[in-house]
Amino acid sequence: MNNTWIESNTFHHSKFKNLGRLVEAKRKKNLSISLCLPTLNEQRTIAKEIVIMKSELMIRYPLIDEIVVIDSGSIDNTRDIARSYEVAVHEADDILPHLERYKGKGENLWKALYVTRGDIIVYIDADIKNIHHRFAYGLLGPLLLSDHIRFSKAFYDRPILVGENKWRPTGGGRVTELVTRPLFSLFMPDLTQFVQPLSGEYAGYRHIFEAIPFHIGYGVETGMLIDIHEKWGLDVMAQVDLDRRVHKNQDTKALGRMAFVIIKTFLKRVQEQKRVAVNQRLFDEMIQYNLVDEKLQPDIHILTENERPPIVQIPEYREKFMVNGPSWESAQQCRPNRSTPSMDRRWERDR
């Protein structure tokens, strides 16, 4: 285990609060930055997120070049509200529509790569109640001010609702501590240094995201960490303390379904890496129970393990972003060691 990474590659967002310095670093490296907000029925929070990010990081400081909302089919006013603030809004099903359609956050993140333009992509969940522009600039800081960091991930205190309008300061991240961290400890101890491996906010260079698969659902963060670590190592990764994140907590049964998908994603990865062999079929049914009229009744959810391939394999993506240099297989072997050209000059191999 690399015991020094957590000291050298862990930051607090306040280190990057000089936004003028970040803008200048972005200019010197000739980079563009896209912010993606994946949504599903987020009418209560989407407006505030857009207003804060746009006013602070596009108008006041030109750090972000575009904000793109990718929606999973909201039945509330999420899309209309977002459009009223003049940002790009796409329904996930309308992007690369000839492909089989899936529903899930990972689908939104993957398809965002096709409709965004930036050399760096920032992904921020759209349900944050205490949104602040530090959620973006904190993640961008290590990418802009370092010459080797290519991916940054958030961590924070997560208060949990324990009664009507009563919050306990900590208690979020239950699936991390009960599922993900034990699995990482068993098989990939380097990754235990991520304080919140399942956090929904992260940023990275396009050439990182386009070269890895995206799990469609709850396994997207787990698969992403494992794949980036496997291909490029810990040195290109960082984590940033964003202080506090307030959002709607899920109940225990919902967390159980999340854990089911994460475990399946993890097992798929460790089998692919030949770390372990599973000699039987893994089922797709998560079986839980409800007490109805004093009788236990099964509550069964089908949780499939759909995954998108690295988007650089998709012909339409390769054509749009002029991926005509090295083959994708060769590109997988390269380690990023310098900044990528701006969005209109696509994907040169790092040498």
Side-chain angles (χ1 to χ4, degrees):
M1 175 174 169
N2 181 349
N3 292 314
T4 63
W5 179 89
I6 199 168
E7 298 177 3
S8 63
N9 287 40
T10 300
F11 306 94
H12 190 268
H13 69 83
S14 60
K15 181 178 178 65
F16 311 114
K17 65 182 180 180
N18 185 341
L19 300 186
R21 184 184 179 207
L22 297 186
V23 171
E24 179 62 15
K26 171 195 164 187
R27 185 193 64 79
K28 286 184 176 179
K29 292 185 175 183
N30 193 25
L31 296 169
S32 58
I33 298 173
S34 300
L35 169 62
C36 170
L37 303 175
T39 59
L40 177 62
N41 299 324
E42 309 294 358
Q43 65 177 12
R44 295 184 177 181
T45 50
I46 187 64
K48 187 176 180 181
E49 290 207 14
I50 292 173
V51 167
I52 287 177
M53 296 299 174
K54 195 171 184 179
S55 61
E56 295 295 327
L57 300 182
M58 293 183 77
I59 299 173
R60 189 176 180 190
Y61 291 94
L63 188 62
I64 291 172
D65 297 289
E66 64 174 351
I67 297 175
V68 178
V69 171
I70 310 292
D71 187 73
S72 289
S74 295
I75 58 174
D76 65 4
N77 294 318
T78 296
R79 293 190 300 277
D80 289 339
I81 292 170
R83 288 190 184 102
S84 72
Y85 289 97
E86 300 181 341
V87 299
V89 179
H90 301 270
E91 290 194 57
D93 285 350
D94 294 337
I95 302 170
L96 299 170
H98 64 288
L99 299 178
E100 184 176 358
R101 295 180 177 182
Y102 297 122
K103 294 294 184 184
K105 177 184 175 182
E107 177 81 343
N108 292 21
L109 306 184
W110 186 80
K111 286 187 170 178
L113 293 171
Y114 185 73
V115 296
T116 54
R117 307 187 307 270
D119 303 304
I120 292 174
I121 317 294
V122 187
Y123 292 114
I124 296 180
D125 282 349
D127 65 343
I128 303 173
K129 296 180 180 179
N130 66 321
I131 191 65
H132 186 278
H133 56 300
R134 69 175 181 271
F135 279 81
Y137 74 70
L139 292 170
L140 288 169
L143 304 178
L144 294 173
L145 301 183
S146 165
D147 290 329
H148 65 278
I149 293 173
R150 293 294 181 266
F151 172 82
S152 60
K153 189 167 184 63
F155 70 97
Y156 25 61
D157 288 331
R158 294 176 62 185
I160 189 169
L161 190 65
V162 293
E164 188 173 350
N165 297 320
K166 291 183 65 176
W167 294 86
R168 192 168 64 213
T170 59
R174 289 163 286 174
V175 177
T176 287
E177 298 305 325
L178 296 174
V179 177
T180 309
R181 194 173 305 286
L183 289 173
F184 281 166
S185 297
L186 285 169
F187 291 96
M188 305 170 185
D190 275 351
L191 294 180
T192 63
Q193 296 173 95
F194 281 93
V195 177
Q196 286 176 341
L198 303 183
S199 67
E201 289 73 45
Y202 28 86
Y205 280 76
R206 177 178 291 272
H207 62 255
I208 293 288
F209 290 132
E210 69 184 1
I212 61 174
F214 277 60
H215 190 280
I216 295 307
Y218 290 128
V220 62
E221 284 86 14
T222 301
M224 184 179 292
L225 276 186
I226 293 172
D227 291 336
I228 294 173
H229 178 252
E230 177 72 9
K231 292 176 184 297
W232 294 286
L234 271 181
D235 286 346
V236 306
M237 307 168 80
Q239 61 181 346
V240 182
D241 184 351
L242 300 181
D243 280 342
R244 189 169 182 259
R245 185 190 195 277
V246 180
H247 66 122
K248 182 180 178 181
N249 300 112
Q250 299 195 62
D251 62 31
T252 302
K253 289 187 71 174
L255 294 179
R257 295 190 289 272
M258 180 187 298
F260 180 90
V261 175
I262 289 169
I263 291 169
K264 285 196 71 177
T265 303
F266 185 89
L267 288 175
K268 181 174 185 284
R269 289 297 190 274
V270 294
Q271 288 184 89
E272 290 171 346
Q273 296 177 11
K274 301 190 183 332
R275 295 172 182 259
V276 69
V278 177
N279 297 318
Q280 72 163 62
R281 173 192 169 195
L282 297 178
F283 295 92
D284 292 329
E285 293 184 346
M286 173 63 175
I287 306 169
Q288 298 171 306
Y289 290 87
N290 294 324
L291 186 62
V292 180
D293 296 329
E294 298 185 355
K295 292 183 179 180
L296 288 172
Q297 294 186 355
D299 181 16
I300 299 174
H301 295 263
I302 306 299
L303 300 170
T304 55
E305 194 184 30
N306 296 315
E307 190 169 83
R308 292 294 192 188
I311 200 169
V312 76
Q313 295 181 356
I314 304 301
E316 292 84 356
Y317 182 90
R318 296 178 67 86
E319 181 179 358
K320 180 176 182 178
F321 290 93
M322 296 182 287
V323 184
N324 298 316
S327 68
W328 182 78
E329 291 79 7
S330 297
Q332 279 198 94
Q333 306 303 317
C334 73
R335 285 179 175 264
N337 53 25
R338 62 178 175 82
S339 61
T340 310
S342 65
M343 58 191 171
D344 294 325
R345 290 173 284 139
R346 250 331 283 142
W347 218 77
E348 296 176 2
R349 180 177 178 179
D350 293 313
R351 302 183 186 278

